[in-house]
PDB file of all heavy atoms in Angstrom:
ATOM      1  N   ASP F   1      63.194 116.582 119.816  1.00 96.00           N
ATOM      2  CA  ASP F   1      62.470 117.797 120.212  1.00 96.00           C
ATOM      3  C   ASP F   1      63.270 118.609 121.232  1.00 96.00           C
ATOM      4  O   ASP F   1      63.228 119.850 121.224  1.00 96.00           O
ATOM      5  CB  ASP F   1      61.096 117.440 120.794  1.00 96.00           C
ATOM      6  CG  ASP F   1      60.123 116.942 119.726  1.00 96.00           C
ATOM      7  OD1 ASP F   1      60.424 117.142 118.531  1.00 96.00           O
ATOM      8  OD2 ASP F   1      59.095 116.352 120.088  1.00 96.00           O
ATOM      9  N   GLN F   2      63.980 117.912 122.119  1.00 96.00           N
ATOM     10  CA  GLN F   2      64.775 118.597 123.135  1.00 96.00           C
ATOM     11  C   GLN F   2      66.111 119.086 122.579  1.00 96.00           C
ATOM     12  O   GLN F   2      66.807 119.867 123.239  1.00 96.00           O
ATOM     13  CB  GLN F   2      65.037 117.653 124.317  1.00 96.00           C
ATOM     14  CG  GLN F   2      63.806 117.313 125.130  1.00 96.00           C
ATOM     15  CD  GLN F   2      63.277 118.506 125.922  1.00 96.00           C
ATOM     16  OE1 GLN F   2      63.998 119.482 126.143  1.00 96.00           O
ATOM     17  NE2 GLN F   2      62.024 118.455 126.321  1.00 96.00           N
ATOM     18  N   GLY F   3      66.486 118.621 121.382  1.00 96.00           N
ATOM     19  CA  GLY F   3      67.756 119.038 120.793  1.00 96.00           C
ATOM     20  C   GLY F   3      68.959 118.289 121.332  1.00 96.00           C
ATOM     21  O   GLY F   3      70.101 118.724 121.127  1.00 96.00           O
ATOM     22  N   ALA F   4      68.722 117.170 122.023  1.00 97.00           N
ATOM     23  CA  ALA F   4      69.829 116.398 122.596  1.00 97.00           C
ATOM     24  C   ALA F   4      70.594 115.666 121.495  1.00 97.00           C
ATOM     25  O   ALA F   4      70.070 115.413 120.404  1.00 97.00           O
ATOM     26  CB  ALA F   4      69.301 115.400 123.616  1.00 97.00           C
ATOM     27  N   THR F   5      71.842 115.318 121.780  1.00 97.00           N
ATOM     28  CA  THR F   5      72.646 114.540 120.857  1.00 97.00           C
ATOM     29  C   THR F   5      72.945 113.184 121.489  1.00 97.00           C
ATOM     30  O   THR F   5      72.840 113.018 122.708  1.00 97.00           O
ATOM     31  CB  THR F   5      73.979 115.242 120.529  1.00 97.00           C
ATOM     32  OG1 THR F   5      74.703 115.453 121.751  1.00 97.00           O
ATOM     33  CG2 THR F   5      73.743 116.572 119.862  1.00 97.00           C
ATOM     34  N   GLY F   6      73.315 112.217 120.640  1.00 96.00           N
ATOM     35  CA  GLY F   6      73.654 110.916 121.221  1.00 96.00           C
ATOM     36  C   GLY F   6      73.696 109.813 120.193  1.00 96.00           C
ATOM     37  O   GLY F   6      73.739 110.039 118.979  1.00 96.00           O
ATOM     38  N   VAL F   7      73.687 108.584 120.713  1.00 98.00           N
ATOM     39  CA  VAL F   7      73.779 107.390 119.890  1.00 98.00           C
ATOM     40  C   VAL F   7      72.801 106.354 120.431  1.00 98.00           C
ATOM     41  O   VAL F   7      72.600 106.245 121.645  1.00 98.00           O
ATOM     42  CB  VAL F   7      75.231 106.847 119.881  1.00 98.00           C
ATOM     43  CG1 VAL F   7      75.708 106.512 121.288  1.00 98.00           C
ATOM     44  CG2 VAL F   7      75.353 105.623 118.978  1.00 98.00           C
ATOM     45  N   TYR F   8      72.187 105.597 119.508  1.00 97.00           N
ATOM     46  CA  TYR F   8      71.196 104.585 119.876  1.00 97.00           C
ATOM     47  C   TYR F   8      71.572 103.304 119.141  1.00 97.00           C
ATOM     48  O   TYR F   8      71.419 103.205 117.924  1.00 97.00           O
ATOM     49  CB  TYR F   8      69.807 105.077 119.462  1.00 97.00           C
ATOM     50  CG  TYR F   8      68.625 104.267 119.962  1.00 97.00           C
ATOM     51  CD1 TYR F   8      67.332 104.776 119.868  1.00 97.00           C
ATOM     52  CD2 TYR F   8      68.770 102.993 120.511  1.00 97.00           C
ATOM     53  CE1 TYR F   8      66.225 104.064 120.313  1.00 97.00           C
ATOM     54  CE2 TYR F   8      67.680 102.275 120.964  1.00 97.00           C
ATOM     55  CZ  TYR F   8      66.409 102.815 120.858  1.00 97.00           C
ATOM     56  OH  TYR F   8      65.307 102.097 121.302  1.00 97.00           O
ATOM     57  N   VAL F   9      72.091 102.323 119.855  1.00 95.00           N
ATOM     58  CA  VAL F   9      72.384 101.006 119.292  1.00 95.00           C
ATOM     59  C   VAL F   9      71.116 100.167 119.399  1.00 95.00           C
ATOM     60  O   VAL F   9      70.564  99.998 120.494  1.00 95.00           O
ATOM     61  CB  VAL F   9      73.546 100.330 120.047  1.00 95.00           C
ATOM     62  CG1 VAL F   9      73.700  98.873 119.601  1.00 95.00           C
ATOM     63  CG2 VAL F   9      74.832 101.100 119.828  1.00 95.00           C
ATOM     64  N   THR F  10      70.661  99.620 118.260  1.00 93.00           N
ATOM     65  CA  THR F  10      69.371  98.923 118.266  1.00 93.00           C
ATOM     66  C   THR F  10      69.312  97.905 117.128  1.00 93.00           C
ATOM     67  O   THR F  10      70.058  97.993 116.150  1.00 93.00           O
ATOM     68  CB  THR F  10      68.222  99.928 118.121  1.00 93.00           C
ATOM     69  OG1 THR F  10      66.967  99.239 118.134  1.00 93.00           O
ATOM     70  CG2 THR F  10      68.338 100.733 116.830  1.00 93.00           C
ATOM     71  N   PHE F  11      68.425  96.950 117.285  1.00 88.00           N
ATOM     72  CA  PHE F  11      68.138  96.026 116.196  1.00 88.00           C
ATOM     73  C   PHE F  11      66.959  96.525 115.365  1.00 88.00           C
ATOM     74  O   PHE F  11      66.540  95.876 114.415  1.00 88.00           O
ATOM     75  CB  PHE F  11      67.822  94.629 116.753  1.00 88.00           C
ATOM     76  CG  PHE F  11      66.635  94.599 117.665  1.00 88.00           C
ATOM     77  CD1 PHE F  11      65.357  94.357 117.185  1.00 88.00           C
ATOM     78  CD2 PHE F  11      66.791  94.830 119.035  1.00 88.00           C
ATOM     79  CE1 PHE F  11      64.263  94.326 118.035  1.00 88.00           C
ATOM     80  CE2 PHE F  11      65.692  94.801 119.887  1.00 88.00           C
ATOM     81  CZ  PHE F  11      64.428  94.554 119.388  1.00 88.00           C
ATOM     82  N   LEU F  12      66.420  97.688 115.712  1.00 89.00           N
ATOM     83  CA  LEU F  12      65.243  98.245 115.049  1.00 89.00           C
ATOM     84  C   LEU F  12      65.676  99.154 113.907  1.00 89.00           C
ATOM     85  O   LEU F  12      65.939 100.340 114.086  1.00 89.00           O
ATOM     86  CB  LEU F  12      64.399  99.029 116.055  1.00 89.00           C
ATOM     87  CG  LEU F  12      64.001  98.263 117.332  1.00 89.00           C
ATOM     88  CD1 LEU F  12      63.375  99.198 118.345  1.00 89.00           C
ATOM     89  CD2 LEU F  12      63.058  97.120 116.987  1.00 89.00           C
ATOM     90  N   GLU F  13      65.752  98.602 112.710  1.00 90.00           N
ATOM     91  CA  GLU F  13      66.235  99.370 111.573  1.00 90.00           C
ATOM     92  C   GLU F  13      65.278 100.488 111.187  1.00 90.00           C
ATOM     93  O   GLU F  13      65.687 101.478 110.565  1.00 90.00           O
ATOM     94  CB  GLU F  13      66.467  98.442 110.384  1.00 90.00           C
ATOM     95  CG  GLU F  13      67.560  97.411 110.634  1.00 90.00           C
ATOM     96  CD  GLU F  13      67.869  96.570 109.403  1.00 90.00           C
ATOM     97  OE1 GLU F  13      67.119  96.706 108.405  1.00 90.00           O
ATOM     98  OE2 GLU F  13      68.845  95.806 109.431  1.00 90.00           O
ATOM     99  N   GLU F  14      64.015 100.371 111.591  1.00 91.00           N
ATOM    100  CA  GLU F  14      63.047 101.412 111.264  1.00 91.00           C
ATOM    101  C   GLU F  14      63.432 102.770 111.858  1.00 91.00           C
ATOM    102  O   GLU F  14      63.143 103.820 111.284  1.00 91.00           O
ATOM    103  CB  GLU F  14      61.645 101.030 111.779  1.00 91.00           C
ATOM    104  CG  GLU F  14      61.056  99.804 111.115  1.00 91.00           C
ATOM    105  CD  GLU F  14      61.425  98.495 111.813  1.00 91.00           C
ATOM    106  OE1 GLU F  14      62.460  98.486 112.519  1.00 91.00           O
ATOM    107  OE2 GLU F  14      60.686  97.517 111.654  1.00 91.00           O
ATOM    108  N   LEU F  15      64.137 102.748 113.014  1.00 93.00           N
ATOM    109  CA  LEU F  15      64.497 104.002 113.679  1.00 93.00           C
ATOM    110  C   LEU F  15      65.581 104.754 112.921  1.00 93.00           C
ATOM    111  O   LEU F  15      65.741 105.965 113.105  1.00 93.00           O
ATOM    112  CB  LEU F  15      64.960 103.720 115.105  1.00 93.00           C
ATOM    113  CG  LEU F  15      63.940 103.043 116.035  1.00 93.00           C
ATOM    114  CD1 LEU F  15      64.531 102.841 117.416  1.00 93.00           C
ATOM    115  CD2 LEU F  15      62.661 103.872 116.111  1.00 93.00           C
ATOM    116  N   ALA F  16      66.327 104.050 112.063  1.00 91.00           N
ATOM    117  CA  ALA F  16      67.410 104.704 111.330  1.00 91.00           C
ATOM    118  C   ALA F  16      66.891 105.658 110.265  1.00 91.00           C
ATOM    119  O   ALA F  16      67.626 106.522 109.799  1.00 91.00           O
ATOM    120  CB  ALA F  16      68.312 103.651 110.687  1.00 91.00           C
ATOM    121  N   GLY F  17      65.628 105.511 109.875  1.00 88.00           N
ATOM    122  CA  GLY F  17      65.047 106.395 108.867  1.00 88.00           C
ATOM    123  C   GLY F  17      64.062 107.366 109.456  1.00 88.00           C
ATOM    124  O   GLY F  17      63.119 107.787 108.771  1.00 88.00           O
ATOM    125  N   PHE F  18      64.254 107.752 110.693  1.00 87.00           N
ATOM    126  CA  PHE F  18      63.272 108.568 111.408  1.00 87.00           C
ATOM    127  C   PHE F  18      63.142 109.964 110.820  1.00 87.00           C
ATOM    128  O   PHE F  18      62.067 110.561 110.845  1.00 87.00           O
ATOM    129  CB  PHE F  18      63.663 108.663 112.884  1.00 87.00           C
ATOM    130  CG  PHE F  18      62.544 109.087 113.785  1.00 87.00           C
ATOM    131  CD1 PHE F  18      61.626 108.167 114.263  1.00 87.00           C
ATOM    132  CD2 PHE F  18      62.391 110.416 114.137  1.00 87.00           C
ATOM    133  CE1 PHE F  18      60.595 108.558 115.089  1.00 87.00           C
ATOM    134  CE2 PHE F  18      61.362 110.828 114.962  1.00 87.00           C
ATOM    135  CZ  PHE F  18      60.462 109.889 115.442  1.00 87.00           C
ATOM    136  N   GLY F  19      64.225 110.546 110.330  1.00 91.00           N
ATOM    137  CA  GLY F  19      64.164 111.899 109.791  1.00 91.00           C
ATOM    138  C   GLY F  19      65.556 112.461 109.584  1.00 91.00           C
ATOM    139  O   GLY F  19      66.568 111.786 109.833  1.00 91.00           O
ATOM    140  N   PRO F  20      65.651 113.707 109.130  1.00 95.00           N
ATOM    141  CA  PRO F  20      66.968 114.312 108.853  1.00 95.00           C
ATOM    142  C   PRO F  20      67.825 114.479 110.100  1.00 95.00           C
ATOM    143  O   PRO F  20      69.044 114.659 109.983  1.00 95.00           O
ATOM    144  CB  PRO F  20      66.613 115.667 108.240  1.00 95.00           C
ATOM    145  CG  PRO F  20      65.229 115.967 108.736  1.00 95.00           C
ATOM    146  CD  PRO F  20      64.546 114.639 108.840  1.00 95.00           C
ATOM    147  N   GLU F  21      67.211 114.419 111.278  1.00 97.00           N
ATOM    148  CA  GLU F  21      67.991 114.548 112.517  1.00 97.00           C
ATOM    149  C   GLU F  21      68.708 113.261 112.890  1.00 97.00           C
ATOM    150  O   GLU F  21      69.554 113.249 113.782  1.00 97.00           O
ATOM    151  CB  GLU F  21      67.079 114.960 113.681  1.00 97.00           C
ATOM    152  CG  GLU F  21      66.397 116.304 113.512  1.00 97.00           C
ATOM    153  CD  GLU F  21      65.091 116.183 112.733  1.00 97.00           C
ATOM    154  OE1 GLU F  21      64.735 115.048 112.332  1.00 97.00           O
ATOM    155  OE2 GLU F  21      64.439 117.214 112.519  1.00 97.00           O
ATOM    156  N   VAL F  22      68.366 112.162 112.218  1.00 97.00           N
ATOM    157  CA  VAL F  22      68.916 110.844 112.557  1.00 97.00           C
ATOM    158  C   VAL F  22      69.889 110.393 111.474  1.00 97.00           C
ATOM    159  O   VAL F  22      69.589 110.457 110.280  1.00 97.00           O
ATOM    160  CB  VAL F  22      67.792 109.803 112.732  1.00 97.00           C
ATOM    161  CG1 VAL F  22      68.388 108.418 112.976  1.00 97.00           C
ATOM    162  CG2 VAL F  22      66.882 110.192 113.879  1.00 97.00           C
ATOM    163  N   VAL F  23      71.062 109.944 111.908  1.00 97.00           N
ATOM    164  CA  VAL F  23      72.083 109.421 111.008  1.00 97.00           C
ATOM    165  C   VAL F  23      72.160 107.911 111.196  1.00 97.00           C
ATOM    166  O   VAL F  23      72.253 107.421 112.332  1.00 97.00           O
ATOM    167  CB  VAL F  23      73.459 110.052 111.305  1.00 97.00           C
ATOM    168  CG1 VAL F  23      74.556 109.362 110.501  1.00 97.00           C
ATOM    169  CG2 VAL F  23      73.436 111.544 110.994  1.00 97.00           C
ATOM    170  N   SER F  24      72.131 107.185 110.098  1.00 96.00           N
ATOM    171  CA  SER F  24      72.241 105.725 110.163  1.00 96.00           C
ATOM    172  C   SER F  24      73.701 105.314 110.027  1.00 96.00           C
ATOM    173  O   SER F  24      74.414 105.762 109.121  1.00 96.00           O
ATOM    174  CB  SER F  24      71.429 105.080 109.041  1.00 96.00           C
ATOM    175  OG  SER F  24      71.681 103.681 108.980  1.00 96.00           O
ATOM    176  N   MET F  25      74.138 104.463 110.948  1.00 96.00           N
ATOM    177  CA  MET F  25      75.466 103.860 110.857  1.00 96.00           C
ATOM    178  C   MET F  25      75.315 102.359 111.067  1.00 96.00           C
ATOM    179  O   MET F  25      74.439 101.912 111.831  1.00 96.00           O
ATOM    180  CB  MET F  25      76.425 104.466 111.877  1.00 96.00           C
ATOM    181  CG  MET F  25      76.674 105.947 111.656  1.00 96.00           C
ATOM    182  SD  MET F  25      78.019 106.649 112.678  1.00 96.00           S
ATOM    183  CE  MET F  25      79.462 105.991 111.824  1.00 96.00           C
ATOM    184  N   VAL F  26      76.171 101.587 110.412  1.00 94.00           N
ATOM    185  CA  VAL F  26      76.019 100.133 110.389  1.00 94.00           C
ATOM    186  C   VAL F  26      77.348  99.471 110.723  1.00 94.00           C
ATOM    187  O   VAL F  26      78.402  99.891 110.232  1.00 94.00           O
ATOM    188  CB  VAL F  26      75.532  99.656 108.996  1.00 94.00           C
ATOM    189  CG1 VAL F  26      75.370  98.133 108.977  1.00 94.00           C
ATOM    190  CG2 VAL F  26      74.219 100.343 108.617  1.00 94.00           C
ATOM    191  N   ALA F  27      77.295  98.440 111.584  1.00 91.00           N
ATOM    192  CA  ALA F  27      78.479  97.635 111.874  1.00 91.00           C
ATOM    193  C   ALA F  27      78.828  96.829 110.629  1.00 91.00           C
ATOM    194  O   ALA F  27      78.005  96.065 110.112  1.00 91.00           O
ATOM    195  CB  ALA F  27      78.215  96.723 113.059  1.00 91.00           C
ATOM    196  N   GLY F  28      80.050  97.007 110.127  1.00 84.00           N
ATOM    197  CA  GLY F  28      80.410  96.459 108.830  1.00 84.00           C
ATOM    198  C   GLY F  28      80.878  95.014 108.870  1.00 84.00           C
ATOM    199  O   GLY F  28      81.289  94.485 109.903  1.00 84.00           O
ATOM    200  N   VAL F  29      80.801  94.381 107.702  1.00 77.00           N
ATOM    201  CA  VAL F  29      81.400  93.070 107.462  1.00 77.00           C
ATOM    202  C   VAL F  29      82.324  93.211 106.260  1.00 77.00           C
ATOM    203  O   VAL F  29      82.285  94.196 105.524  1.00 77.00           O
ATOM    204  CB  VAL F  29      80.335  91.990 107.196  1.00 77.00           C
ATOM    205  CG1 VAL F  29      79.495  91.759 108.439  1.00 77.00           C
ATOM    206  CG2 VAL F  29      79.445  92.391 106.020  1.00 77.00           C
ATOM    207  N   ASP F  30      83.207  92.211 106.040  1.00 71.00           N
ATOM    208  CA  ASP F  30      84.232  92.342 105.007  1.00 71.00           C
ATOM    209  C   ASP F  30      83.653  92.533 103.615  1.00 71.00           C
ATOM    210  O   ASP F  30      84.096  93.394 102.860  1.00 71.00           O
ATOM    211  CB  ASP F  30      85.150  91.122 105.020  1.00 71.00           C
ATOM    212  CG  ASP F  30      86.257  91.279 106.060  1.00 71.00           C
ATOM    213  OD1 ASP F  30      86.483  92.418 106.503  1.00 71.00           O
ATOM    214  OD2 ASP F  30      86.873  90.273 106.431  1.00 71.00           O
ATOM    215  N   SER F  31      82.640  91.728 103.259  1.00 61.00           N
ATOM    216  CA  SER F  31      82.054  91.830 101.924  1.00 61.00           C
ATOM    217  C   SER F  31      80.737  91.074 101.924  1.00 61.00           C
ATOM    218  O   SER F  31      80.395  90.399 102.891  1.00 61.00           O
ATOM    219  CB  SER F  31      83.002  91.240 100.875  1.00 61.00           C
ATOM    220  OG  SER F  31      83.128  89.841 101.056  1.00 61.00           O
ATOM    221  N   ASP F  32      80.018  91.194 100.829  1.00 55.00           N
ATOM    222  CA  ASP F  32      78.766  90.454 100.724  1.00 55.00           C
ATOM    223  C   ASP F  32      79.000  88.950 100.776  1.00 55.00           C
ATOM    224  O   ASP F  32      78.131  88.183 101.185  1.00 55.00           O
ATOM    225  CB  ASP F  32      78.053  90.802  99.405  1.00 55.00           C
ATOM    226  CG  ASP F  32      77.521  92.231  99.423  1.00 55.00           C
ATOM    227  OD1 ASP F  32      77.420  92.803 100.529  1.00 55.00           O
ATOM    228  OD2 ASP F  32      77.215  92.763  98.332  1.00 55.00           O
ATOM    229  N   ALA F  33      80.189  88.526 100.395  1.00 52.00           N
ATOM    230  CA  ALA F  33      80.473  87.093 100.365  1.00 52.00           C
ATOM    231  C   ALA F  33      81.126  86.601 101.654  1.00 52.00           C
ATOM    232  O   ALA F  33      81.311  85.412 101.822  1.00 52.00           O
ATOM    233  CB  ALA F  33      81.377  86.766  99.180  1.00 52.00           C
ATOM    234  N   ASP F  34      81.469  87.520 102.560  1.00 56.00           N
ATOM    235  CA  ASP F  34      82.179  87.126 103.781  1.00 56.00           C
ATOM    236  C   ASP F  34      81.613  87.920 104.945  1.00 56.00           C
ATOM    237  O   ASP F  34      81.672  89.148 104.951  1.00 56.00           O
ATOM    238  CB  ASP F  34      83.672  87.399 103.625  1.00 56.00           C
ATOM    239  CG  ASP F  34      84.480  86.883 104.818  1.00 56.00           C
ATOM    240  OD1 ASP F  34      83.855  86.377 105.771  1.00 56.00           O
ATOM    241  OD2 ASP F  34      85.709  86.987 104.771  1.00 56.00           O
ATOM    242  N   ALA F  35      81.039  87.222 105.928  1.00 63.00           N
ATOM    243  CA  ALA F  35      80.369  87.888 107.039  1.00 63.00           C
ATOM    244  C   ALA F  35      81.307  88.198 108.198  1.00 63.00           C
ATOM    245  O   ALA F  35      80.862  88.459 109.311  1.00 63.00           O
ATOM    246  CB  ALA F  35      79.223  87.011 107.543  1.00 63.00           C
ATOM    247  N   THR F  36      82.633  88.187 107.981  1.00 72.00           N
ATOM    248  CA  THR F  36      83.575  88.498 109.050  1.00 72.00           C
ATOM    249  C   THR F  36      83.415  89.942 109.487  1.00 72.00           C
ATOM    250  O   THR F  36      83.427  90.858 108.664  1.00 72.00           O
ATOM    251  CB  THR F  36      85.021  88.253 108.573  1.00 72.00           C
ATOM    252  OG1 THR F  36      85.151  86.889 108.189  1.00 72.00           O
ATOM    253  CG2 THR F  36      86.008  88.567 109.693  1.00 72.00           C
ATOM    254  N   ARG F  37      83.276  90.159 110.797  1.00 77.00           N
ATOM    255  CA  ARG F  37      83.089  91.520 111.306  1.00 77.00           C
ATOM    256  C   ARG F  37      84.376  92.322 111.145  1.00 77.00           C
ATOM    257  O   ARG F  37      85.466  91.824 111.404  1.00 77.00           O
ATOM    258  CB  ARG F  37      82.725  91.504 112.790  1.00 77.00           C
ATOM    259  CG  ARG F  37      81.264  91.238 113.105  1.00 77.00           C
ATOM    260  CD  ARG F  37      80.883  89.809 112.871  1.00 77.00           C
ATOM    261  NE  ARG F  37      79.626  89.488 113.558  1.00 77.00           N
ATOM    262  CZ  ARG F  37      78.951  88.382 113.362  1.00 77.00           C
ATOM    263  NH1 ARG F  37      79.412  87.475 112.503  1.00 77.00           N
ATOM    264  NH2 ARG F  37      77.843  88.153 114.027  1.00 77.00           N
ATOM    265  N   THR F  38      84.215  93.573 110.761  1.00 83.00           N
ATOM    266  CA  THR F  38      85.364  94.478 110.675  1.00 83.00           C
ATOM    267  C   THR F  38      85.462  95.361 111.912  1.00 83.00           C
ATOM    268  O   THR F  38      86.498  95.985 112.136  1.00 83.00           O
ATOM    269  CB  THR F  38      85.235  95.394 109.451  1.00 83.00           C
ATOM    270  OG1 THR F  38      84.100  96.263 109.617  1.00 83.00           O
ATOM    271  CG2 THR F  38      85.069  94.572 108.171  1.00 83.00           C
ATOM    272  N   PHE F  39      84.366  95.443 112.687  1.00 88.00           N
ATOM    273  CA  PHE F  39      84.270  96.309 113.861  1.00 88.00           C
ATOM    274  C   PHE F  39      84.378  97.793 113.492  1.00 88.00           C
ATOM    275  O   PHE F  39      84.548  98.633 114.364  1.00 88.00           O
ATOM    276  CB  PHE F  39      85.312  95.940 114.928  1.00 88.00           C
ATOM    277  CG  PHE F  39      85.232  94.502 115.341  1.00 88.00           C
ATOM    278  CD1 PHE F  39      86.180  93.595 114.913  1.00 88.00           C
ATOM    279  CD2 PHE F  39      84.182  94.055 116.129  1.00 88.00           C
ATOM    280  CE1 PHE F  39      86.095  92.251 115.279  1.00 88.00           C
ATOM    281  CE2 PHE F  39      84.091  92.721 116.500  1.00 88.00           C
ATOM    282  CZ  PHE F  39      85.051  91.817 116.071  1.00 88.00           C
ATOM    283  N   ARG F  40      84.267  98.066 112.199  1.00 91.00           N
ATOM    284  CA  ARG F  40      84.160  99.436 111.736  1.00 91.00           C
ATOM    285  C   ARG F  40      82.685  99.795 111.635  1.00 91.00           C
ATOM    286  O   ARG F  40      81.882  99.034 111.098  1.00 91.00           O
ATOM    287  CB  ARG F  40      84.813  99.591 110.361  1.00 91.00           C
ATOM    288  CG  ARG F  40      86.314  99.377 110.361  1.00 91.00           C
ATOM    289  CD  ARG F  40      87.049 100.616 110.785  1.00 91.00           C
ATOM    290  NE  ARG F  40      86.799 101.730 109.878  1.00 91.00           N
ATOM    291  CZ  ARG F  40      87.215 102.972 110.096  1.00 91.00           C
ATOM    292  NH1 ARG F  40      87.868 103.261 111.200  1.00 91.00           N
ATOM    293  NH2 ARG F  40      86.967 103.922 109.217  1.00 91.00           N
TER     294      ARG F  40
END
């Protein structure tokens, strides 16, 4: 509502679908078969 910009790191996945003003980004892993973090 205030028009602020920023980033919110959370375990609450529900917030990622809040609306068109919210962009979802996810910490990646190598593949579905390998849970090694890529830090991307």
Side-chain angles (χ1 to χ4, degrees):
D1 289 345
Q2 292 291 341
T5 58
V7 59
Y8 190 167
V9 171
T10 180
F11 60 91
L12 307 170
E13 296 185 352
E14 295 89 337
L15 300 181
F18 198 84
E21 298 86 0
V22 176
V23 172
S24 172
M25 297 190 75
V26 180
V29 294
D30 276 343
S31 67
D32 290 343
D34 185 357
T36 301
R37 278 73 162 169
T38 65
F39 305 105
R40 294 278 299 173

